[in-house]
Amino acid sequence: MKDSYIIGIIGAGNMGEALIKGLLRSQLVRSYEIIASARRRARLFRLEKSYGIHTTRSNKEIMNSTDTVILAVKPQNMDELMDEIRPYATKNHLMISIAAGVDVKKLRRGLGPKPKLIRVMPNLPAVVDEGVSAIFCGPRIAERYRRFAHQIFQAVGTTVDVREERQMDVITGLSGTGPAYIFALMEAMTNAGRKLGLTPKLAETLTRQTVLGAAELAGQAGAEPRELRRRVTSKEGTTWAAMKVFKRRKFWDLLTEAIGAATKRSRQLRKLKD
């Protein structure tokens, strides 16, 4: 085991593994500069074999061998983890938490006054390097640490700066939960195709490629989604007929309500954790 590493990851689950893959692919660090922990030995063995990184079951070892530590455990396990690692947190540590609903105030209380704190809200597409990660820096964080956090998460997609932490709940409701909205839409489109006479395989293929193509078009077109929708909606055509149903059933209001509910739940969970 080495004495020092560039990045430590505590809780190398799906998102932790996505970060490992992205960091190595981007060449921000090399495999021997990463150390990760997980509870299951089988998980650690697979990570070592797949990526050539160092692993350990000791979070203390991670704290003592690297200054940059990503806390990637589930939110419900954060209290236990912070109690465990607080005695080893120093002023040299940069602690980056990706736990939803755990704010900087909570992190400070759990980790003590010494480490530098950054909070990140990534989302599921990070596992295919297409995520978007919102980054909020605690007070008095030097610019070099903010940039480093962006470099880490740009390895798995796009990053955005968040200047007001209260926005993190809305971000959780919009982009953190957002992939589920797209999956629900895809599920509904596929089911509609089946009910109207397509085979399940054909309905799934058409739905998947339509969503992929629309997302790619939205990324390249440089126009707002509203404008893109207008361009493909010919008067009294097929899209026009579909949009009439959306408007009548208040599709936009429904989605706003859903995102609002997710945002509200994020705030409730944060308060429960306090």
Side-chain angles (χ1 to χ4, degrees):
M1 189 69 68
K2 291 173 56 183
D3 292 330
S4 62
Y5 300 86
I6 302 298
I7 292 175
I9 299 174
I10 295 180
N14 291 335
M15 191 60 70
E17 183 175 359
L19 285 169
I20 291 167
K21 289 197 302 187
L23 288 167
L24 295 178
R25 191 159 37 243
S26 69
Q27 299 185 331
L28 183 62
V29 293
R30 288 159 287 194
S31 60
Y32 58 82
E33 294 173 318
I34 300 175
I35 183 170
S37 71
R39 290 183 173 179
R40 293 187 293 111
R41 292 185 186 276
R43 175 72 174 169
L44 296 177
F45 177 77
R46 193 180 73 76
L47 291 172
E48 281 190 17
K49 186 175 181 181
S50 298
Y51 306 108
I53 65 169
H54 296 274
T55 65
T56 178
R57 295 184 72 192
S58 170
N59 294 327
K60 173 184 176 181
E61 191 165 12
I62 289 185
M63 294 295 293
N64 289 338
S65 60
T66 182
D67 289 338
T68 300
V69 180
I70 298 172
L71 306 179
V73 301
K74 296 182 184 300
Q76 59 267 33
N77 297 328
M78 278 294 289
D79 285 336
E80 179 185 354
L81 174 63
M82 291 191 293
D83 286 343
E84 176 189 354
I85 65 177
R86 177 181 172 131
Y88 315 108
T90 72
K91 65 179 181 180
N92 295 322
H93 278 112
L94 171 63
M95 312 290 286
I96 302 174
S97 169
I98 64 171
V102 181
D103 59 20
V104 168
K105 180 181 177 182
K106 172 84 169 181
L107 292 170
R108 178 60 70 202
R109 192 161 61 241
L111 295 169
K114 296 177 182 178
K116 296 169 280 290
L117 303 177
I118 292 179
R119 182 182 171 195
V120 180
M121 184 69 242
N123 67 357
L124 183 61
V127 301
V128 290
D129 295 345
E130 292 291 347
V132 58
S133 300
I135 297 177
F136 173 78
C137 295
R140 299 180 297 280
I141 293 292
E143 176 63 15
R144 67 181 182 275
Y145 298 118
R146 187 193 69 81
R147 288 200 304 267
F148 188 42
H150 277 271
Q151 284 181 304
I152 291 172
F153 287 89
Q154 282 168 1
V156 292
T158 301
T159 60
V160 295
D161 258 324
V162 178
R163 299 300 183 180
E164 299 179 41
E165 190 176 15
R166 62 183 178 82
Q167 295 180 333
M168 293 296 274
D169 291 316
V170 182
I171 289 166
T172 300
L174 178 62
S175 67
T177 313
Y181 312 147
I182 307 303
F183 299 149
L185 177 63
M186 293 175 69
E187 180 184 7
M189 290 172 65
T190 300
N191 287 341
R194 291 171 178 172
K195 289 178 180 179
L196 293 170
L198 300 181
T199 64
K201 184 176 180 180
L202 180 57
E204 289 169 8
T205 299
L206 290 170
T207 296
R208 185 180 301 110
Q209 191 55 46
T210 297
V211 171
L212 287 172
E216 185 69 20
L217 181 61
Q220 292 185 7
E224 294 182 355
R226 181 176 181 176
E227 171 60 19
L228 293 175
R229 177 173 60 84
R230 187 193 65 78
R231 291 178 188 176
V232 298
T233 307
S234 302
K235 187 174 181 180
E236 298 189 5
T238 58
T239 308
W240 171 83
M243 291 303 106
K244 280 186 66 177
V245 175
F246 275 10
K247 289 177 182 178
R248 186 170 70 250
R249 296 298 183 93
K250 299 184 177 180
F251 171 79
W252 287 268
D253 291 343
L254 178 63
L255 198 54
T256 299
E257 184 180 346
I259 294 172
T263 300
K264 181 179 179 180
R265 185 56 179 163
S266 178
R267 290 174 180 145
Q268 289 173 339
L269 291 173
R270 175 162 47 82
K271 290 176 181 177
L272 286 174
K273 292 182 179 72
D274 288 338

